[in-house]
Amino acid sequence: MRRMAETRRLLDEARGGDRAALDELFGRHRGRLYAFTRSAMGGASRGSVAAEDVLQETLLEASRKLGSFEDRGPSSFYRWLVAIARFKVREADRARRAGKRAIESPLGDDPAARDTSPSGRAMRRERAEILRDALAALPGEQGEAVRLRYLEALPVADVAARIGKSEGAVKALVARGLASLAENREDSG
Amino acid sequence: MSESLEDVQDRVLDALHAGELPDREALLAAHPEHADALARFLDLLAEIETTPRAADRPPARLGEFRILREIGRGGMGVVYEAEQPSLRRRVALKVLPPALAHDPRVLARFRREAEAAGRLRHPNIVPVFSVGESGGVPFFAMELVEGRSLAEVIRERAAGGGSPMPPDAWRRWAAEIAARVADALHAAHAERILHRDVKPANVILDPSGTPRLTDFGLAADLAAPGLTMTGETFGTPLYMSPEQALRREAPLDPRTDVYSLGVTLYELLTLRSPYDATTTPEILSALQQGLLVAPRKLDPAFPEALERVVLRAMGRAPDDRYATAAAFAEDLRNWLAGRPVEAPAAGPPRSARPERAASHPTAHPQATRRVRLRVALAASVMALVFVGVLWLGPHEPREGLVLGGGPITAKELRALIDGTDPEGVATLHAWVDPQVRLRGVVARDELGSYRVDLGTGFTDPDPLPGVPALVIARFEAQAEGVPVRDLGFAYAVILDDGVILSRGPEVRLADVLGHAKQRASVVVTHRAKIRIVARPPTLLPSMPPSPEQLTRAWESAGGTACSWQETRTLLVFDEAPSGHPEFATGPDVDPGMLEVLSPTRFHDVHVSSRGESGGDRRISVMFDGMGAPGPVPAVFEVHLLDPDTGLVLARATWVRDARDEDREDEVRHAACLRFAIEDGGSGRDAGTLVGLANNSAETVTLRFVPSRRLAFETTDFEQIWGRELHLVVPSKGARDDGRRTEAKVVPYDPPKTLRLRDLAKEGAPGGVAAIGRMVTPRVGLRRVVSRRSPGSYEIAIVLDTGGVPVDGDTVFLALWEIRVDAGPWRPIEYVVCGVGPGGGSGVSGAMPLERSLGAALSSPSVEVLHRLTVKVAPRPQRLAAGFCGVESYVTPQPEWAEAAGPAWMWDSGPVTLLVYDDFPDDYPEAVRSDELDAQIRTSLAPTSGGACRIGPGRVLNAPFVFGASPVPLACEVDLVADDGSVVGTATYTQPSGDGPTARTVSLDFVLAEPAAAAEQRLLLDLAKGGAIQVKLRFRPSRDVARRLTAFDRYWNGTVTVPVSIGGM
């Protein structure tokens, strides 16, 4: 049983300084945003914690700038996060090219908790990582459509304009792209 | 309504982007044709969306339980499969998600749930084994039930799968299942526990086929009402009873569960929802109107008796249903056994009869009108709760309560709600008394603010019956020569019974007055438009709604409820009075001002006598000068006192006439009071009264008494109204001249500022004991504030009388007001009260700061301004002679306000509290700000916001970032060159609104002509492209800024900014 979210309430509470609400709000987007970060960082992030750091840095920045977020519709909060993440990815790229340490220490990540995860859980987590990478590497129009529509939360019409297809075709591309991920996972898992 | 898989999936993506968690069950149920593909799709997304963050991973252990895997997750918690080694059994552990574990309301609900469920023992109820807490994570362990939920069973059969049971056998099986669940519910009801969330997903069929009711997640103890008053609505509306979904005023009782079980049985029997509705508003509307589809409409072969049983359970009104779950079970078993069922064939008079329900949705016109309004209200409420449901259907949520058209009185409003109003739409004209109170005078350098009291100002005393409402006023103000400005919202949350639960923030005038500062006074014209909307559950009473929420509620409320206009004169002072923000009557204020503001003159006193025995004798007093231009309370009492004895002879209550608003110029500052002279007085008062009644000349005293605490708080009652007037009642001869007689008024002149030490002087007002000497009260902060747990102060205030014994009949009443100014400014005031005996003992009180710190917890420190009012008053009778304990806290009593008058004001100045991540082992007493370590100081100070740029027109743009300390309204920023010379100056002005939102500020400095040497060098360097630095130095432009923002501590420094070349 899942209850429907009260996103706006969370947002308002978070803006009022409620940490728990902020955590909850971020929690609802974190996984997808992480997938976006990995996809935006491309191969550079493989095998490193860089994507996770960028994600943390993104959320930290978002929490600082929460006051300047303008609510422009249901998906606007996530798109705002994506915009920050994109900026942070670029920042990290620049820093990496300059040979500097990429990112300051992240929000309260608890390293101890990592080690205490049961192995099954860790495995599932690993599978999620693989999935996210597969998502980032989905080829062709399908991959493009999935990333724009799902990871960047662009409206279908915008995606359609971007890749020069009809809206129906975009929906079908996205559906097929995600379905192919699901199939691959079943094959391997 | 079949939709393509792609479209459904696309909507799921939209929901995810909006931060919503897709309701897997509902989705699969809504699209059985795509169930398989959709399930795979949701699984995939769930995996991708699995958060990579450590904090969300399950702990390895909780108490003695070893966690094995996550089974499920709901709005209220995560369920894990876990092992209990001591008993070698597997259990299901329900744990609050960490994000929620800090919310006291959620915690309370969780504990209640665990306690309630822990008391239940029934074969058809999943038992709770134990309740515990580990590392701050509360959890409870329940039996791990393997099996499938009825929701899955229904879905499977709807898709054509599952057991090939013939319809007849299926119905018998379903009835049997429902009867057993009803047994379980009855057992819970006997323990005074409601389930409140009965639905197919919460009934699990264990491997033996036994139905087990689980998830008392919404259980409310029948014995603990009030917990549902917070405006929260839980559960899936599809299975809610009308009274639960539509939030009717009556408390829920077991019959709400009977209804939900009825829906569950309906679905089990027909494999579909009883309503032809998909969106939440549609469901609510169907619910209220009893628009359910009779099973026999769907399937003529459906047994008629069984239909009656199902529909009886789903009666629209609780009285239409089975009185208990047991009765429901019994009737089901009647049907199973082939006995006649109790449920009447034609349906009870007000129940949803199958035929009528299906074809005549509006059987009772009167009830229906009520229905519509309620539904509209509830729909707007529910729309906010079930945001996530909306994407399941294409329809927009229905509009909320729409008010517009002609005037209405409370009676008419009630008629509207009762459904007897012919039009069904009206304007709330009767909301005439929004009672704007000026909270303080406005200082030239200070933030002015209104305190707005939105009461239930109907012309008759009935509040909105049964409608938990949000009253919103939108204010505009106009000062002389300043265009109309939108001041923003004020609001009040009103409960079903008319109790005002919370009230909005002060409306700030700073913006308007910014342009009127040169004048000695400004006239501010207000306009308020008021709307009443159903209270969205998201606006919890404990939480100030955000402007965005109010805007939404405002917009959804449609037409204008009431327009109202008032003009006030505000006085503008050069500097905030010491007692800011209260109106100060201390030595800083011209005493003449008090005369202007106070009620002083009476122009007519008339005594009339009707009735033989004097039982109906009245004294009328007409007076004017009602505090113009000061605020006038909505209600206050005037006591007629015998000036010699101080005894109250008669009382009158003055109520502001609503109609005054329309003709305020004539009536506004005059009032006529009628004192009923009560019989039964004795001795001297009887004599006085008789004298008054006979119009013999007498002197009486009028004392103004606030009848409500609110008046006391919002109109500076104490200072302006809390005075006595000596009144000479005219002699008999005067009476013969007619009614208009000029009365001589001798204003009683109380001390303008009464300090405790003044009490020692001769002629101190009666009832106040003499005190020899007053020593400054000391405030000690007992606690620092913790980020994790609710912080609280304990304040010890010592009132030292300098060793002079104080009369034992005297107590100190100390009222604290605490204002917390934290990062984003959210001043919240608390008033606590302490009582101390005479004799130099201390007074202490503690107050929770939890709420006000909500906004401040992200800051490393908060500023707290204390203000303390100490009153010395006769000890109330109820504090018996033995009272002496300084430990005991006493709730402020209304009569203490009556004892007002003498008071001593004291302002401790700001105290800085440090906010810790957790309580330090031995948390220190208040840390003085000069002891702040350098790191914290740095985080409070402004820092560089990046490089500054020089642009055309010799303008240098320099950014800086606020620290966590309060930001001054205005400050000067100097641009300082290397050699210390100032090359430019700019002024920062805080934008209007709720405080600074952008933390980064860019200022433009115009470089002065002619160029000084330093400037020349600066420009030269810039022109050459050389990297240089400049410094920003902050100076307070006003004294108030210095005091309120601890300017000297945090702002008084320089920030070094690199300069880069570039366009701006």
Side-chain angles (χ1 to χ4, degrees):
Chain A
M1 171 193 63
R2 293 198 166 195
R3 298 238 161 72
M4 288 304 170
E6 296 176 3
T7 318
R8 286 210 155 142
R9 177 178 65 80
L10 285 175
L11 189 56
D12 289 329
E13 286 176 12
R15 283 205 249 205
D18 186 334
R19 285 297 291 251
L22 189 66
D23 284 352
E24 170 73 18
L25 196 59
F26 284 168
R28 293 180 175 189
H29 298 294
R30 193 178 277 116
R32 193 177 336 112
L33 195 62
Y34 181 57
F36 168 80
T37 310
R38 283 186 88 97
S39 127
M41 292 183 77
S45 70
R46 303 277 164 83
S48 76
V49 291
E52 204 155 331
D53 284 350
V54 168
L55 174 69
Q56 298 287 13
E57 186 71 10
T58 301
L59 295 180
L60 190 66
E61 182 79 15
S63 68
R64 283 193 200 118
K65 289 189 169 160
L66 204 59
S68 67
F69 165 68
E70 274 178 47
D71 195 346
R72 293 194 182 127
S75 305
S76 62
F77 183 71
Y78 176 68
R79 275 187 226 138
W80 181 70
L81 291 178
V82 165
I84 297 176
R86 192 177 285 124
F87 176 78
K88 288 287 167 194
V89 166
R90 242 181 274 143
E91 214 176 60
D93 276 352
R94 263 201 307 273
R96 196 174 46 243
R97 273 199 292 274
K100 290 176 191 157
R101 186 172 177 277
I103 298 289
E104 297 280 310
S105 113
L107 271 179
D109 195 351
D110 181 5
R114 287 184 184 158
D115 303 329
T116 54
S117 290
S119 58
R121 181 81 192 181
M123 238 173 75
R124 262 174 50 181
R125 187 162 166 252
E126 190 54 40
R127 282 187 4 161
E129 297 282 82
I130 293 168
L131 252 186
R132 287 189 193 101
D133 284 342
L135 187 60
L138 261 184
E141 276 175 345
Q142 223 175 51
E144 183 77 357
V146 168
R147 284 186 291 273
L148 291 175
R149 174 73 188 115
Y150 175 44
L151 295 186
E152 299 194 31
L154 290 182
V156 175
D158 290 10
V159 180
R162 273 269 195 116
I163 62 177
K165 297 258 173 186
S166 73
E167 296 192 12
V170 167
K171 285 184 189 173
L173 275 176
V174 172
R176 272 204 305 277
L178 289 171
S180 75
L181 285 182
E183 281 156 22
N184 289 339
R185 181 182 57 148
E186 273 156 23
D187 292 347
S188 63
Chain B
M1 182 191 72
S2 177
E3 220 179 338
S4 78
L5 178 62
E6 284 83 8
D7 284 341
V8 178
Q9 292 184 347
D10 198 59
R11 274 213 321 280
V12 172
L13 292 184
D14 269 339
L16 282 172
H17 292 146
E20 292 159 11
L21 308 172
D23 187 334
R24 187 189 175 94
E25 281 168 17
L27 268 174
L28 295 181
H31 304 281
E33 71 279 14
H34 302 312
D36 281 356
L38 212 46
R40 270 201 308 277
F41 176 71
L42 290 173
D43 286 345
L44 176 80
L45 289 186
E47 200 147 342
I48 294 173
E49 302 252 333
T50 300
T51 174
R53 189 169 150 240
D56 282 359
R57 289 171 209 145
R61 302 190 75 85
L62 272 178
E64 64 162 323
F65 299 95
R66 198 163 65 79
I67 292 190
L68 302 174
R69 68 184 183 97
E70 182 179 317
I71 302 172
R73 171 180 284 269
M76 274 296 292
V78 184
V79 183
Y80 296 113
E81 181 180 342
E83 188 180 31
Q84 188 176 16
S86 60
L87 292 171
R88 295 198 170 191
R89 66 176 173 188
R90 299 230 161 158
V91 299
L93 267 191
K94 189 161 184 182
V95 177
L96 267 188
L100 290 176
H102 298 304
D103 185 334
R105 268 179 305 122
V106 174
L107 266 177
R109 198 186 316 141
F110 187 85
R111 294 212 176 98
R112 193 176 67 231
E113 172 185 351
E115 281 164 16
R119 287 208 299 274
L120 298 174
R121 289 286 178 272
H122 190 275
N124 296 112
I125 292 178
V126 177
V128 168
F129 294 141
S130 65
V131 182
E133 199 172 311
S134 169
V137 180
F139 62 86
F140 65 80
M142 54 193 165
E143 186 188 314
L144 184 66
V145 181
E146 307 277 350
R148 296 183 312 156
S149 74
L150 285 187
E152 288 169 81
V153 171
I154 290 170
R155 195 160 56 235
E156 197 177 84
R157 189 171 170 92
S163 67
M165 223 187 270
D168 206 38
W170 176 264
R171 287 183 199 120
R172 297 187 62 81
W173 174 80
E176 176 59 36
I177 293 291
R180 292 168 78 177
V181 175
D183 291 343
L185 279 176
H186 188 67
H189 294 162
E191 297 286 325
R192 305 189 66 72
I193 294 165
L194 288 183
H195 190 289
R196 297 211 300 175
D197 194 21
V198 177
K199 58 181 177 181
N202 280 340
V203 178
I204 298 174
L205 292 177
D206 72 12
S208 73
T210 307
R212 312 281 301 270
L213 188 53
T214 185
D215 201 355
F216 274 76
L218 305 179
D221 198 323
L222 292 183
L227 284 164
T228 57
M229 302 283 279
T230 53
E232 292 163 294
T233 310
F234 307 109
T236 313
L238 209 50
Y239 302 97
M240 280 184 185
S241 65
E243 66 270 23
Q244 188 181 3
L246 300 164
R247 301 164 40 73
R248 287 192 183 138
E249 56 271 27
L252 296 178
D253 66 21
R255 290 172 297 182
T256 190
D257 284 345
V258 168
Y259 187 95
S260 300
L261 181 57
V263 180
T264 304
L265 174 58
Y266 183 106
E267 230 181 275
L268 200 53
L269 288 167
T270 65
L271 308 177
R272 52 157 281 166
S273 152
Y275 319 109
D276 270 331
T278 45
T279 66
T280 297
E282 282 172 9
I283 291 170
L284 290 171
S285 173
L287 253 182
Q288 178 56 274
Q289 301 180 35
L291 280 180
L292 47 88
V293 181
R296 283 163 63 81
K297 288 270 171 205
L298 299 167
D299 175 10
F302 196 93
E304 193 265 335
L306 183 58
E307 180 184 77
R308 275 189 277 140
V309 174
V310 173
L311 294 177
R312 172 96 196 262
M314 294 178 67
R316 197 172 69 197
D319 288 344
D320 298 343
R321 298 174 209 147
Y322 294 103
T324 63
F328 186 16
E330 195 187 326
D331 223 16
L332 281 169
R333 292 192 172 108
N334 283 340
W335 179 76
L336 283 167
R339 293 188 293 264
V341 299
E342 271 179 29
R350 281 175 299 138
S351 80
R353 279 185 305 178
E355 299 78 20
R356 196 179 67 206
S359 53
H360 305 291
T362 55
H364 297 279
Q366 292 203 350
T368 306
R369 189 165 296 284
R370 179 202 316 249
V371 159
R372 287 217 180 111
L373 183 70
R374 288 260 171 73
V375 166
L377 287 169
S380 66
V381 169
M382 301 291 285
L384 285 159
V385 179
F386 296 104
V387 201
V389 174
L390 298 174
W391 55 261
L392 286 173
H395 302 292
E396 289 297 309
R398 211 173 275 180
E399 271 188 337
L401 172 62
V402 176
L403 298 163
I408 188 177
T409 63
K411 194 180 283 175
E412 286 165 327
L413 179 77
R414 172 164 253 171
L416 171 70
I417 288 165
D418 288 342
T420 50
D421 176 66
E423 295 301 320
V425 178
T427 297
L428 291 181
H429 175 71
W431 199 271
V432 283
D433 195 15
Q435 301 168 18
V436 170
R437 300 282 166 256
L438 295 182
R439 175 71 176 162
V441 286
V442 179
R444 233 186 261 285
D445 280 327
E446 191 46 86
L447 291 175
S449 63
Y450 287 108
R451 169 68 57 93
V452 182
D453 172 18
L454 293 168
T456 50
F458 289 109
T459 42
D460 57 63
D462 287 322
L464 279 165
V467 180
L470 173 72
V471 181
I472 310 173
R474 181 159 202 143
F475 281 86
E476 288 173 344
Q478 178 172 29
E480 273 176 274
V482 179
V484 176
R485 296 290 181 87
D486 188 350
L487 291 182
F489 291 102
Y491 68 92
V493 177
I494 299 183
L495 288 183
D496 304 16
D497 54 359
V499 173
I500 300 174
L501 202 59
S502 68
R503 125 176 359 99
E506 295 175 5
V507 176
R508 288 164 52 164
L509 270 183
D511 189 33
V512 173
L513 292 180
H515 299 268
K517 282 174 190 164
Q518 298 84 351
R519 297 171 190 268
S521 77
V522 288
V523 174
V524 179
T525 304
H526 313 265
R527 241 202 327 251
K529 287 180 179 173
I530 294 176
R531 283 177 196 181
I532 303 168
V533 299
R535 176 160 55 101
T538 46
L539 303 185
L540 301 179
S542 62
M543 215 168 279
S546 69
E548 291 80 8
Q549 284 175 309
L550 288 173
T551 306
R552 279 201 301 278
W554 178 264
E555 283 164 359
S556 73
T560 304
C562 173
S563 247
W564 164 85
Q565 198 164 332
E566 184 165 5
T567 306
R568 296 263 192 211
T569 302
L570 295 184
L571 301 176
V572 180
F573 287 81
D574 273 343
E575 195 36 287
S578 61
H580 180 82
E582 285 272 330
F583 191 93
T585 50
D588 307 338
V589 177
D590 178 2
M593 192 63 71
L594 188 67
E595 293 307 316
V596 175
L597 294 169
S598 297
T600 48
R601 289 178 296 131
F602 290 76
H603 61 70
D604 184 57
V605 177
H606 177 72
V607 179
S608 67
S609 171
R610 289 189 302 159
E612 302 289 351
S613 62
D616 193 16
R617 282 175 299 193
R618 294 175 186 282
I619 300 173
S620 304
V621 177
M622 178 73 100
F623 64 101
D624 65 5
M626 291 242 317
V632 179
V635 181
F636 63 89
E637 293 192 21
V638 184
H639 294 179
L640 197 63
L641 305 171
D642 184 319
D644 295 333
T645 62
L647 290 174
V648 176
L649 301 176
R651 297 165 202 264
T653 301
W654 187 81
V655 184
R656 192 162 161 191
D657 188 340
R659 287 164 305 183
D660 285 358
E661 304 293 345
D662 298 327
R663 43 194 180 104
E664 58 182 38
D665 289 340
E666 307 105 65
V667 195
R668 164 144 202 86
H669 298 306
C672 182
L673 291 173
R674 289 187 184 81
F675 295 88
I677 297 173
E678 296 154 15
D679 270 344
S682 61
R684 167 77 200 199
D685 25 321
T688 308
L689 290 174
V690 169
L692 285 170
N694 292 337
N695 279 3
S696 59
E698 283 279 354
T699 302
V700 292
T701 302
L702 294 183
R703 178 191 285 163
F704 295 84
V705 181
S707 55
R708 291 177 190 163
R709 180 149 188 85
L710 198 61
F712 180 67
E713 280 176 358
T714 55
T715 59
D716 311 305
F717 204 97
E718 188 185 338
Q719 284 85 7
I720 298 173
W721 292 81
R723 59 192 325 206
E724 293 178 356
L725 296 172
H726 290 265
L727 181 66
V728 178
V729 180
S731 68
K732 187 165 190 166
R735 185 198 182 194
D736 296 333
D737 292 343
R739 303 168 53 136
R740 301 281 161 208
T741 307
E742 197 73 20
K744 191 184 174 196
V745 176
V746 185
Y748 170 67
D749 188 21
K752 295 295 185 289
T753 311
L754 187 59
R755 297 186 189 279
L756 285 183
R757 63 170 172 269
D758 293 331
L759 299 179
K761 293 176 186 164
E762 288 291 319
V768 178
I771 295 175
R773 192 154 49 90
M774 184 67 203
V775 180
T776 309
R778 294 194 303 267
V779 172
L781 293 179
R782 292 282 180 219
R783 279 194 186 166
V784 288
V785 179
S786 153
R787 222 187 268 283
R788 289 261 163 81
S789 46
S792 71
Y793 283 116
E794 252 176 48
I795 298 186
I797 294 190
V798 179
L799 297 172
D800 191 339
T801 61
V804 175
V806 174
D807 189 307
D809 287 335
T810 302
V811 292
F812 294 109
L813 310 175
L815 300 169
W816 286 270
E817 250 182 73
I818 304 265
R819 179 180 264 263
V820 179
D821 285 336
W825 280 36
R826 268 179 204 269
I828 294 181
E829 289 165 345
Y830 288 88
V831 177
V832 294
C833 181
V835 183
S841 301
V843 179
S844 65
M847 73 194 62
L849 272 181
E850 188 183 349
R851 258 161 56 183
S852 57
L853 288 180
L857 283 182
S858 48
S859 309
S861 78
V862 292
E863 289 269 319
V864 181
L865 305 174
H866 305 267
R867 214 157 45 76
L868 172 67
T869 305
V870 180
K871 288 179 183 160
V872 181
R875 184 170 56 176
Q877 287 290 318
R878 47 185 296 281
L879 301 182
F883 169 79
C884 64
V886 293
E887 306 292 316
S888 35
Y889 303 134
V890 181
T891 315
Q893 299 297 312
E895 62 263 28
W896 295 4
E898 286 185 34
W904 189 81
M905 308 279 290
W906 167 80
D907 187 350
S908 79
V911 174
T912 301
L913 294 186
L914 297 181
V915 180
Y916 286 83
D917 274 339
D918 213 331
F919 277 123
D921 285 338
D922 52 339
Y923 45 80
E925 298 267 311
V927 179
R928 299 293 315 176
S929 44
D930 48 3
E931 293 161 16
L932 292 178
D933 68 43
Q935 196 186 350
I936 286 168
R937 195 185 296 265
T938 307
S939 72
L940 292 169
T943 52
S944 164
C948 63
R949 291 170 159 267
I950 191 155
R954 313 192 71 210
V955 172
L956 190 89
N957 179 269
F960 66 95
V961 183
F962 295 128
S965 76
V967 176
L969 259 188
C971 70
E972 308 285 323
V973 187
D974 291 337
L975 193 64
V976 185
D978 276 351
D979 62 358
S981 59
V982 176
V983 293
T985 298
T987 302
Y988 164 73
T989 313
Q990 193 180 114
S992 62
D994 229 2
T997 45
R999 302 297 292 181
T1000 303
V1001 168
S1002 271
L1003 288 178
D1004 285 343
F1005 296 84
V1006 179
L1007 302 176
E1009 299 264 12
E1015 187 207 344
Q1016 260 179 350
R1017 199 174 57 247
L1018 176 72
L1019 291 173
L1020 203 62
D1021 283 346
L1022 285 171
K1024 282 190 287 191
I1028 58 158
Q1029 292 183 335
V1030 292
K1031 283 178 182 156
L1032 298 181
R1033 186 168 68 200
F1034 297 90
R1035 284 187 289 123
S1037 44
R1038 287 156 195 154
D1039 254 17
V1040 175
R1042 186 191 295 269
R1043 189 164 57 81
L1044 282 183
T1045 59
F1047 202 98
D1048 293 339
R1049 268 174 256 144
Y1050 311 128
W1051 287 77
N1052 208 358
T1054 57
V1055 171
T1056 303
V1057 182
V1059 180
S1060 72
I1061 298 275
M1064 291 177 62

